[in-house]
């Protein structure tokens, strides 16, 4: 008969010390995610100059925004399985080099097709970024010490926008949008050089696997569990809002509300500042609730899904109010509340996923919810193209976003039960310890 088995979160090994160099790697990976989101935001930030120079329609620009995600999910899944065998140090280096190389063609004169192809290549390189970075961080910190480095890593995305938007907008306004892409390519090469010099592979992965005896759970069982499905559905709604922010927020400010490119650059920071506050508050509150013995159903599932509902309701009010300031406020707060779900879903999946399968399952989760990035920018483009008024088109697109967020939040509330998921799988293993 097989030896007793455990699932992630059902047993604890003796706490391990944090290896020397862990915080150095954390800082480098924070910068990695910062560059990652700066690369994402540049097309939306330069949206109006790009549309003007290339004579693009709203539908074409929506397609350009979606193109980034054409290979995003496929790449995330493939690389998610690769990092089970290949050191993350080298995978991260290759990803960063792909990002850098994909930016440089835009420095010269390019057409719509070239820009589209380069964004597809960039998306393929950036699809695995978050899951590989998390996997790399977990090789440096034992389970009980991962909350803070994970929070720091997640803030790289917000700071990537907060710091990059003013700098990139300065380049766009004073030198043209082509040079903004070139600047990002140079930054990508600089990070690659720093990582090649200072980056290291974490030593704790083998220790963790050696200290935890477990059997593999069929991937079909993990991927059809209600909590996994709930995480995908809830985060899909949140990512719909994020992808619209990346592609359409700045053009909405300029063409829809009449702000200048320079003004829009500063306003574009606001959703990310508010979102960063939501992320940090959710992480802190979740840990406080769990420390007091609150179930992960409440401390993670309900806490993460409920803000999506309120955020969707705020965005739904946008067409029914007057004034640019009020509409911006509703959009900033409504979309910013989505940040709560990103904090809780990966830990919930980790509660019931065996350690040896965690990287791939989290990668698949990311690949599925980011499919919203393909759909949302195109839908917004079609709404704008089909509307008699530019502003009405934007309002229709944001209303669709609001409905999707509310549905996503309600689905999350219904399905996110990680504590019972863990217990169910553990009981199943006890009955049938030989299942593969």
């Amino acid at each position: 008969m097989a030896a007793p088995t455990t699932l992630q979160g059902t047993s604890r090994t003796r706490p391990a010390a944090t290896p020397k160099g862990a915080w150095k790697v954390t800082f480098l990976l924070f910068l990695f995610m910062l560059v990652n989101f700066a690369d994402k935001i540049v097309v939306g930030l330069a949206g109006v100059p790009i549309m003007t120079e290339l004579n693009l329609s709203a539908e074409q620009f929506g397609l350009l925004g979606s193109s980034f995600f054409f290979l995003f999910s496929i790449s995330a899944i493939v690389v998610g399985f690769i990092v089970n065998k290949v050191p993350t140090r080298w995978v991260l280096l290759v990803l960063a080099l792909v990002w850098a190389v994909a930016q440089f063609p835009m420095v010269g004169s390019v057409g719509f097709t070239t820009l589209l192809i380069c964004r597809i290549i960039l998306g393929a390189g950036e699809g695995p970024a978050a899951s590989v970075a998390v996997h790399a961080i977990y090789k440096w910190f034992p389970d009980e010490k991962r909350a803070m480095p994970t929070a720091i890593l997640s803030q790289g995305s917000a700071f990537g926008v907060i710091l990059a938007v003013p700098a990139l907008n300065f380049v766009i306004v004073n030198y043209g949008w082509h040079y903004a892409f070139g600047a990002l390519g140079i930054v990508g090469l600089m990070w690659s050089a720093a990582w090649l010099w200072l980056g290291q592979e974490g030593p704790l992965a083998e220790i963790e696997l050696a200290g935890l005896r477990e059997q593999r759970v069929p991937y079909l069982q993990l991927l059809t569990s209600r909590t996994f499905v709930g995480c995908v559905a809830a985060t899909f709604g949140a990512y719909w809002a994020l992808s619209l922010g990346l592609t359409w927020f700045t053009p909405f400010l300029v063409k829809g509300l009449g702000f200048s490119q320079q003004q829009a650059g500063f306003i574009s920071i606001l959703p990310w500042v508010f979102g960063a506050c939501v992320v940090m508050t959710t992480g802190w509150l979740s840990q406080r609730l769990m420390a007091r013995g609150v179930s992960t159903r409440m401390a993670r599932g309900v806490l993460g899904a409920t803000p999506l509902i309120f955020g969707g309701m705020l965005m739904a009010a946008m067409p029914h109010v007057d004034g640019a300031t009020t509409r911006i406020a509703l959009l900033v707060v409504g979309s910013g509340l989505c940040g709560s779900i990103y904090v809780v879903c990966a830990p919930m999946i980790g509660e019931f996923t065996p350690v040896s399968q965690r990287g791939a399952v989290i990668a698949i989760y990311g690949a599925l919810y980011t499919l919203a990035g393909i759909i949302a920018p195109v839908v917004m483009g079609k709404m704008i193209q089909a509307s008699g008024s530019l502003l009405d088109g934007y309002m229709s697109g944001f209303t669709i976003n609001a409905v999707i967020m509310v549905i996503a939040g309600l689905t999350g509330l219904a399905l996110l039960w990680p504590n019972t998921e863990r217990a169910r799988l553990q009981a199943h293993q006890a009955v049938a310890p030989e299942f593969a």
Side-chain angles (χ1 to χ4, degrees), residues 269-342:
I269 300 172
L270 297 179
W272 302 93
V273 173
F274 181 74
C277 295
V278 170
V279 166
M280 296 302 293
T281 301
T282 302
W284 173 82
L285 184 56
S286 178
Q287 288 195 358
R288 291 278 295 178
L289 291 172
M290 291 179 65
R292 295 183 178 184
V294 176
S295 70
T296 52
R297 156 67 179 168
M298 298 299 298
R300 286 176 173 168
V302 174
L303 181 65
T306 303
L308 278 170
I309 300 171
F310 287 106
M313 293 169 65
L314 289 175
M315 290 184 67
M318 286 178 63
H320 308 290
V321 299
D322 295 319
T325 301
T326 305
R327 282 174 170 160
I328 291 171
L330 290 172
L331 183 56
V332 166
V333 177
S335 60
L337 287 172
C338 293
S340 60
I341 200 67
Y342 299 110

Side-chain angles (χ1 to χ4, degrees), residues 130-152:
S131 58
V132 175
V134 168
H135 189 54
I137 280 286
Y138 285 4
K139 294 183 178 183
W140 283 97
F141 294 89
D143 183 63
E144 64 277 2
K145 297 180 180 180
R146 287 173 179 165
M148 184 56 67
T150 303
I152 292 172

Side-chain angles (χ1 to χ4, degrees), residues 101-127:
V101 171
Q103 303 288 14
F104 287 120
M106 269 73 75
V107 175
S109 297
V110 294
F112 176 67
T113 302
T114 301
L115 184 54
L116 193 75
I117 292 172
C118 288
R119 293 299 288 181
I120 293 172
I121 294 171
L122 180 65
E126 296 203 351

Side-chain angles (χ1 to χ4, degrees), residues 11 61 71 119 126 162 176 205 207 227 244 259 263 350 353 410:
S11 68
F61 185 71
L71 298 179
R119 293 299 288 181
E126 296 203 351
I162 293 169
I207 297 173
T227 298
L244 286 185
F259 290 93
Q263 291 171 324
T353 302
L410 291 172

